Amino acid sequence: MLALFIAALMQPQLVNVTPVSFNMTIGSGMPMYGLLINPNSSYVIYLNGPGVLYMVANSSLVVMIHNMVHVVNGSASLVIKQGESRVLFINHNNYSVYLFYMFQYNSSSEAFYSYNPIGVADYGVALYYGEPLLAYSYETSEVLGVAFIRSLNVTDVRGDCGVKAGDDYADIQLNSIVKAGDGYYIVQDVVILNGTAASIVDNVWNITSLNATLSNVMGLGSIGDFNGQQYYAYSRVIGELKTPFNLTLAIMVSGVNSAHLSFGYGVQGSLIWFDNVTLINAGKPSIIVNGSSYVEFGIPIDTELVLTGPVCGIWAVVKSVNATFTLLHRVNESYYPAPYTWGIGTLTGEAVANASALVSNGVNVQITGSAYEYPGPLYYYVPVFISLINGSEFIMVPKGYMLNLTLGRLITGNSSVIKRIEFVINETRIINSSSVTIIVNGPTEVRVIYNQLFEVKLIGLSGNETPLVYWYPKGYVLKLKEPRYLGLMVFRGYLLNNGTLVKYPEATLIINGSLTIKVLWGNEVSIGTLTVMYLVFPVLSLLMIMILIMLTLSDEGNRH
């Protein structure tokens, strides 16, 4: 499996991502809720303690509780006192903030009332800087769940389906949604652990509609009924599993008209495909993840590898656990981790309490015993949003990925030049640098600030017929001033892009695109005009001379 992990780390995966915003409920048992808090607004919830409030926000939020002010930026947890508490979330930003929260209540006896399947789940939902939510989707033909169990000790809370309270049954489940034709199915590949004894089980549930049934199914198993809903199941004994052990679970789909579902497992070695199920005439199948949609019953379209209680919705308390989980999906001939993951599952009624999932290193998630569950997010890949002048692009890169950014050369078009000026990374300006290297440890926004220059061509400026070419940035205020007369030529106007005529010799233009300015000059001044112009000056001069003579004579008469 090491080669698969290296491939996943070395080859960033492109996925279909589209920014959307909506309320999302993740998990079973005590779920995690999503809230979109509008700019410069607040939201109130009421909680009955004691317990712990877990929060994950994609930007800074102010949280007021018990007359105390807390600032959440990323993930945080707050202790809630006994009784009813008013929690006020305040968004002082001028953009929306998406908040996930989960409240875990515990009684004075320390019995945990909130519980979930714990592990790694890909809901197609990623928190992203500057956006309320990122939803992405993809299809694959195969998913793998890899678990390294170092130690595990659980106790079951209640009994059902052959399990008694106090037993030590637990499940490791690989669960996916398969779309075949117009139908949707939950498919499960499950190892049931009872001390050191282990069995392998597969299940298929039709969730296309509320009363959907299973028909025309071929496999080694049979059709059963649970609470009025049909399901397909097959099981067989694996044998003894003593910790530590490596476990791989696999689900693969194929077919065109009929859907073929293959279930496999591997313990300390290669995969064994133990059951092949055919849904006759169901349509071409694919394993799907879609963060912007639900199926019947409000079930998210996700894939998950989780530690849970055993059968029939039983949940178990974890006394101790030390395990590493990895969720992979197939792209061509390689396997990749989920782009963005969470720590609690949904596609099963079983659950555990007193466990948590945290990213350890690389593409692995560490499962440990904990007083409180941590809901996530747990991301292998992180979203990077790159904003360029010719469009934007979302990519997913491995956490810890080294991203090299270079401003590069001018981009020259037919009549414009685009000059890159600086980077803005998560709203932090990086100036006076033509290149920068960043380590991507979380959702990252990269914007490149440009100065777009447009070609301005001047023809006939001050009588010069040689075109003059200048480059001005968009929005530049260009002031033109030509003489009214130039020798024997007279100014007739500025012709802009052979369309608009400006008749005044002093003009102000705002550059919004490439521009060609032709200065129009008229013909030589006519002879009649010249005669009038030249005769005006002698007449005015003679008049002034006569006035001066009369003034002089008058002055002399006064002196006599």
Side-chain angles (χ1 to χ4, degrees):
M1 296 302 297
L2 179 60
L4 299 181
F5 294 160
I6 292 175
L9 285 171
M10 298 300 291
Q11 303 175 38
Q13 178 199 3
L14 297 180
V15 296
N16 175 28
V17 285
T18 305
V20 298
S21 61
F22 55 91
N23 285 338
M24 169 69 85
T25 303
I26 292 176
S28 55
M30 180 62 71
M32 181 161 55
Y33 299 98
L35 296 174
L36 179 64
I37 304 179
N38 293 323
N40 299 305
S41 64
S42 60
Y43 190 90
V44 175
I45 62 172
Y46 292 89
L47 302 174
N48 286 310
V52 174
L53 172 65
Y54 292 95
M55 295 163 289
V56 181
N58 68 328
S59 192
S60 61
L61 275 179
V62 174
V63 182
M64 297 185 64
I65 183 172
H66 304 314
N67 295 320
M68 299 290 291
V69 176
H70 308 269
V71 178
V72 175
N73 194 353
S75 60
S77 60
L78 294 175
V79 175
I80 306 298
K81 298 177 182 178
Q82 188 169 359
E84 186 177 77
S85 296
R86 180 178 184 269
V87 181
L88 175 64
F89 301 108
I90 306 173
N91 179 15
H92 288 305
N93 302 296
N94 58 3
Y95 50 84
S96 298
V97 173
Y98 210 92
L99 169 71
F100 285 92
Y101 75 91
M102 183 180 81
F103 177 64
Q104 176 145 351
Y105 171 82
N106 65 288
S107 68
S108 57
S109 63
E110 296 300 321
F112 299 100
Y113 283 76
S114 68
Y115 50 92
N116 289 280
I118 295 296
V120 53
D122 182 4
Y123 290 95
V125 176
L127 292 179
Y128 168 65
Y129 183 91
E131 294 287 345
L133 192 68
L134 262 185
Y136 59 87
S137 62
Y138 62 85
E139 298 183 7
T140 183
S141 61
E142 185 179 359
V143 291
L144 293 176
V146 183
F148 178 35
I149 311 299
R150 300 175 187 86
S151 64
L152 177 62
N153 188 359
V154 304
T155 180
D156 300 317
V157 174
R158 63 178 178 83
D160 199 357
C161 298
V163 176
K164 300 185 296 295
D167 283 350
D168 57 357
Y169 283 92
D171 282 0
I172 298 174
Q173 300 186 4
L174 176 64
N175 304 320
S176 290
I177 299 290
V178 170
K179 185 178 187 300
D182 295 326
Y184 291 88
Y185 304 84
I186 293 180
V187 295
Q188 300 177 286
D189 193 0
V190 181
V191 165
I192 301 176
L193 300 172
N194 177 18
T196 59
S199 299
I200 186 75
V201 179
D202 63 359
N203 286 165
V204 179
W205 305 77
N206 189 347
I207 56 171
T208 305
S209 61
L210 185 62
N211 299 313
T213 60
L214 281 170
S215 59
N216 296 326
V217 179
M218 294 178 58
L220 298 177
S222 58
I223 303 296
D225 182 272
F226 181 74
N227 291 337
Q229 187 177 7
Q230 286 186 336
Y231 68 95
Y232 168 92
Y234 171 72
S235 66
R236 76 186 205 188
V237 174
I238 292 178
E240 189 177 52
L241 281 181
K242 292 183 177 180
T243 56
F245 62 86
N246 283 302
L247 173 67
T248 300
L249 298 174
I251 299 173
M252 183 169 61
V253 300
S254 61
V256 178
N257 297 318
S258 296
H260 304 292
L261 316 177
S262 300
F263 298 88
Y265 74 95
V267 179
Q268 313 289 92
S270 59
L271 282 174
I272 298 172
W273 297 98
F274 67 94
D275 193 16
N276 292 291
V277 180
T278 299
L279 307 177
I280 300 173
N281 297 324
K284 183 178 180 179
S286 61
I287 300 170
I288 60 174
V289 169
N290 188 341
S292 57
S293 182
Y294 288 93
V295 291
E296 194 65 38
F297 320 116
I299 297 175
I301 302 175
D302 75 317
T303 292
E304 56 197 47
L305 176 68
V306 289
L307 172 67
T308 76
V311 294
C312 298
I314 297 173
W315 61 283
V317 173
V318 173
K319 294 181 177 179
S320 64
V321 61
N322 187 342
T324 301
F325 281 15
T326 304
L327 182 63
L328 304 168
H329 67 278
R330 184 169 184 162
V331 180
N332 298 322
E333 300 302 317
S334 299
Y335 294 86
Y336 292 88
Y340 202 96
T341 53
W342 302 81
I344 54 179
T346 296
L347 301 181
T348 182
E350 295 78 38
V352 292
N354 198 31
S356 62
L358 294 171
V359 173
S360 57
N361 67 311
V363 297
N364 302 323
V365 168
Q366 186 73 16
I367 312 299
T368 60
S370 173
Y372 301 102
E373 298 168 347
Y374 176 71
L378 314 165
Y379 43 80
Y380 300 142
Y381 279 69
V382 293
V384 176
F385 174 68
I386 301 176
S387 177
L388 302 172
I389 197 166
N390 57 349
S392 302
E393 183 180 11
F394 289 102
I395 62 173
M396 295 287 184
V397 300
K399 188 179 180 187
Y401 185 80
M402 183 178 294
L403 186 63
N404 296 311
L405 304 170
T406 304
L407 288 179
R409 300 178 179 178
L410 296 178
I411 302 174
T412 305
N414 293 330
S415 57
S416 66
V417 169
I418 299 171
K419 182 181 179 182
R420 302 177 177 95
I421 299 176
E422 63 189 31
F423 301 105
V424 177
I425 300 174
N426 285 351
E427 299 305 321
T428 299
R429 297 178 64 191
I430 300 178
I431 59 177
N432 299 324
S433 178
S434 60
S435 63
V436 64
T437 299
I438 60 173
I439 305 299
V440 180
N441 285 317
T444 303
E445 180 187 36
V446 177
R447 291 189 294 118
V448 181
I449 305 301
Y450 298 89
N451 202 349
Q452 189 171 10
L453 306 178
F454 291 102
E455 181 188 59
V456 176
K457 186 181 294 184
L458 298 171
I459 302 175
L461 187 66
S462 298
N464 186 357
E465 291 301 322
T466 302
L468 303 175
V469 178
Y470 299 92
W471 295 91
Y472 294 108
K474 186 176 182 179
Y476 182 84
V477 177
L478 179 63
K479 295 184 177 180
L480 300 174
K481 185 177 182 180
E482 287 288 282
R484 176 71 68 177
Y485 303 104
L486 190 64
L488 299 181
M489 308 293 289
V490 63
F491 176 82
R492 298 297 188 191
Y494 301 108
L495 185 62
L496 309 181
N497 287 341
N498 291 321
T500 303
L501 180 64
V502 179
K503 297 182 178 181
Y504 305 100
E506 295 188 17
T508 300
L509 305 176
I510 298 177
I511 304 301
N512 286 315
S514 58
L515 187 62
T516 298
I517 303 173
K518 294 181 180 179
V519 184
L520 304 181
W521 296 97
N523 296 325
E524 294 181 358
V525 181
S526 65
I527 296 299
T529 304
L530 282 175
T531 304
V532 171
M533 290 178 63
Y534 282 105
L535 287 177
V536 167
F537 177 75
V539 170
L540 290 177
S541 300
L542 178 60
L543 179 61
M544 292 180 67
I545 292 172
M546 292 177 65
I547 292 174
L548 287 174
I549 293 173
M550 293 177 64
L551 289 174
T552 302
L553 293 174
S554 175
D555 183 57
E556 289 181 355
N558 291 331
R559 281 182 293 179
H560 289 291

